[in-house]
Amino acid sequence: MAQTIDYDKIKEASAKYPKLKEINYTYGTAGFRMKAEYLESVIFRVGILGGLRSKKLNSKVIGIMITASHNPEADNGVKLVDPSGEMLEQQWEGYATQLANAQSDDDLIAVIKSIVSENGIDESKEASIVYARDTRPSGPKLVAALEEGIKAINVAGGNLGIKSTPQLHYFTYYLNYCEKPAEGSYEELADKLYYEKFAEAFHKAVGDNPCLSPIYIDAANGVGAPKLKELAEWINKINNNVLKVIIINDDINSQGKLNFQCGADYVKTGQKPPFGLTLTTEQRAASLDGDADRIVFYYVDENRTFRLLDGDKIAALAAGFIIELVKTSGLDINVGVVQTAYANGSSHAYLEKELKVPVACVPTGVKYLHHKAQEYDVGVYFEANGHGTVLFSPNALNKIHSAEKRTAEQEKAIKKLQALTELINQTVGDALSDLLFVEAILINRQWTFNQWNSAYTDLPNRLVKVVVENRQIFKTTNAERTLVEPKGLQEKIDKLVAQYKDGRSFVRPSGTEDVVRVYAEASTQKDCDELAFKVAGLVYDEAGGTGGRPSEFL
């Protein structure tokens, strides 16, 4: 039996990581995320919270990931992962915020005791945590703080080393719900299990169809570079003529390069290729983000126009292919798509009118998309930024994997569905799994990027960041499509939108940065850009813009 919590030991360890009194921490949609130098006390306390969560859940393994995803290299962050590989339960996000903001060691002990009492936690329960980090220079120091927190609460901790965020999510799930691994290094095992699973599933999904042209992968100079290289090697060990990737922006050792002028967020926001890549009309490309949990695809058409295939396009591709297989198979399975306000208006119309699939809109954040997607037999969710996955419910999995013998055509469709259930990382959005998922569909269809893109035409859109003094004053409703506060600002935005054909714009505070994001659509790119910059200027002028008014704001 494990020892009960030694509060004196926690208090002594906490003294090495005092809270910065001027900082107010909030556990948001992506956990804690900010400048790395502000995070040591927070991450020490997250180690303690992970131990409490594990004890509460009868010794299930909890995951902890140290990353700031697509943020600049100077930032870092941390988030907890529940046993199923999903994001931390919402009530416990509040506990994380309370712990992080405890002003003194005594206050910290009081919060811990309160969490134990409120949740009826048996302090003598065993507890276990696995943790990993991305490639940021601040990672090792923050891992050291995390390990001190884990030790302070007397919990078993497994260091997975440098991993992508989706790898940490998947391995957390695996340790809780799959066969317990034999003795060995968790760091090595987490890689092996991940590569083996997705390499084998990819080959099943592709079948005997011929390989497509090579695809250039911008790895954002992050963890996705070595992980994709190793995954591709596993795939090629089975068959070296099924996937051809050319990895660029793969420098994980030089400081200052992570996410700089590259990566999924840079490409999506700027609507242009990353630094170091000049595309011809024959080339296909995609960009990961810094922790490899999102991906966008792109190409240039015959007119040398840049064409982005973002999360909306991925969702449409995935939903269309799955619906076709379900119909062919004869299985009674429903399919639904979940989007956020950032989804292009044309995407929504295509899904509902052409594919005739139900579409739900939820607030931005993986937890909202994931939970809504669970309401369908097959739930497809992708944010426009390229983060997303496909969920197959237990009902769907049972029907797909236990289907009785049918016609040859039905049998073929069922086998494809079976392969897809293994190919997608259902715990969380995963750039590498999503890359293979998309590539498998395109190989099956023998489609070019242009054929994929031709399903529908995006309305021109623009995403603009506005730096503000306090993003917390922005409150939204209607799945974040309408501002409630600051009062009166939404009415002014509506008046601007009404001036443009097919105009749409909304404003929401970022969950990961000290900025407000402005999204706009209109029938032409000129009108879209004008609307976006007018709304951005309005926000800057009337809601505390700071850091110098950008010249493009109208």
Side-chain angles (χ1 to χ4, degrees), residues 406-425:
R406 298 169 183 249
T407 67
E409 187 181 28
Q410 288 175 322
E411 189 72 16
K412 184 178 178 181
I414 289 168
K415 284 185 177 179
K416 291 290 182 190
L417 283 169
Q418 289 172 349
L420 293 182
T421 67
E422 295 296 326
L423 183 56
I424 197 74
N425 186 345

Side-chain angles (χ1 to χ4, degrees), residues 293-335:
D293 71 349
R294 66 173 73 171
I295 186 170
V296 294
F297 299 80
Y298 46 93
Y299 68 105
V300 293
D301 65 18
E302 65 276 6
N303 298 316
R304 301 291 305 159
T305 302
F306 177 81
R307 299 294 184 188
L308 181 70
L309 297 157
D310 61 7
D312 296 343
K313 292 285 187 176
I314 298 171
L317 180 74
F321 190 63
I322 291 169
I323 288 168
E324 184 178 297
L325 291 176
V326 168
K327 286 180 178 176
T328 303
S329 72
L331 296 176
D332 181 19
I333 292 173
N334 67 68
V335 181

Side-chain angles (χ1 to χ4, degrees), residues 189 191 385 509:
L189 186 64
D191 281 333
N385 63 25

Side-chain angles (χ1 to χ4, degrees), residues 261-274:
Q261 296 184 338
C262 59
D265 191 57
Y266 175 85
V267 171
K268 166 69 175 170
T269 303
Q271 304 269 321
K272 60 185 177 182

Side-chain angles (χ1 to χ4, degrees), residues 155-396:
V155 168
N159 187 351
L160 305 186
I162 293 176
K163 295 286 181 284
S164 71
T165 294
Q167 281 185 292
L168 183 276
H169 280 258
Y170 177 71
F171 194 61
T172 301
Y173 161 80
Y174 184 90
L175 291 175
N176 285 299
Y177 295 102
C178 300
E179 183 180 348
K180 283 288 184 184
E183 289 296 320
S185 165
Y186 272 11
E187 183 173 356
E188 294 176 3
L189 186 64
D191 281 333
K192 179 181 181 294
L193 290 170
Y194 181 89
Y195 300 146
E196 193 171 60
K197 169 185 169 61
F198 293 111
E200 290 179 358
F202 181 66
H203 281 281
K204 290 177 184 175
V206 167
D208 296 327
N209 292 294
C211 180
L212 300 178
S213 63
I215 182 167
Y216 287 81
I217 305 294
D218 157 33
N221 296 310
V223 66
K227 299 308 177 186
L228 176 56
K229 180 183 177 184
E230 291 165 6
L231 175 58
E233 288 171 355
W234 274 76
I235 291 170
N236 290 332
K237 273 193 278 186
I238 303 173
N239 181 341
N240 65 3
N241 193 33
V242 69
L243 177 70
K244 298 185 187 303
V245 295
I246 301 169
I247 304 172
I248 64 168
N249 292 325
D250 59 351
D251 184 354
I252 64 171
N253 297 313
S254 300
Q255 290 199 16
K257 288 194 171 184
L258 178 67
N259 294 323
F260 181 68
Q261 296 184 338
C262 59
D265 191 57
Y266 175 85
V267 171
K268 166 69 175 170
T269 303
Q271 304 269 321
K272 60 185 177 182
F275 176 79
L277 181 61
T278 302
L279 290 171
T280 70
T281 55
E282 301 298 318
Q283 292 174 333
R284 308 183 306 141
S287 287
L288 320 178
D289 68 337
D291 67 337
D293 71 349
R294 66 173 73 171
I295 186 170
V296 294
F297 299 80
Y298 46 93
Y299 68 105
V300 293
D301 65 18
E302 65 276 6
N303 298 316
R304 301 291 305 159
T305 302
F306 177 81
R307 299 294 184 188
L308 181 70
L309 297 157
D310 61 7
D312 296 343
K313 292 285 187 176
I314 298 171
L317 180 74
F321 190 63
I322 291 169
I323 288 168
E324 184 178 297
L325 291 176
V326 168
K327 286 180 178 176
T328 303
S329 72
L331 296 176
D332 181 19
I333 292 173
N334 67 68
V335 181
V337 177
V338 186
Q339 297 182 322
T340 71
Y342 287 113
N344 194 277
S346 292
S347 165
H348 191 100
Y350 171 76
L351 290 166
E352 285 195 328
K353 295 176 182 177
E354 298 296 325
L355 294 186
K356 303 192 184 310
V357 62
V359 182
C361 186
V362 298
T364 302
V366 176
K367 60 189 177 187
Y368 302 112
L369 290 140
H370 198 92
H371 291 160
K372 187 67 178 179
Q374 289 174 325
E375 296 180 11
Y376 302 100
D377 287 336
V378 181
V380 179
Y381 76 81
F382 280 88
E383 294 178 282
N385 63 25
H387 184 281
T389 189
V390 180
L391 303 183
F392 291 85
S393 71
N395 177 55

Side-chain angles (χ1 to χ4, degrees), residues 26-136:
T26 302
Y27 193 102
T29 56
F32 294 110
R33 193 177 292 180
M34 58 181 56
K35 296 294 183 188
E37 60 262 33
Y38 302 147
L39 282 168
E40 278 189 274
S41 69
V42 172
I43 290 180
F44 167 81
R45 296 170 184 204
V46 163
I48 293 171
L49 186 65
L52 294 173
R53 182 71 174 155
S54 179
K55 288 175 183 288
K56 166 64 179 175
L57 298 178
N58 293 316
S59 307
K60 292 284 190 185
V61 180
I62 298 298
I64 297 177
M65 186 71 201
I66 295 177
T67 182
S69 189
H70 60 279
N71 280 37
E73 188 175 287
D75 291 354
N76 216 321
V78 63
K79 63 178 180 178
L80 292 101
V81 177
D82 264 352
S84 62
E86 296 181 17
M87 309 302 285
L88 180 67
E89 182 184 303
Q90 194 159 1
Q91 180 186 356
W92 281 67
E93 292 180 5
Y95 293 147
T97 299
Q98 289 175 39
L99 278 174
N101 289 302
Q103 291 294 335
S104 67
D105 298 334
D106 287 332
D107 291 340
L108 175 64
I109 298 302
V111 174
I112 295 170
K113 289 182 175 179
S114 173
I115 295 171
V116 170
S117 174
E118 286 179 26
N119 291 276
I121 293 173
D122 181 351
E123 294 187 14
S124 68
K125 286 276 188 185
E126 298 280 354
S128 184
I129 292 170
V130 289
Y131 54 95
R133 68 176 180 92
D134 67 13
T135 56
R136 293 168 193 270

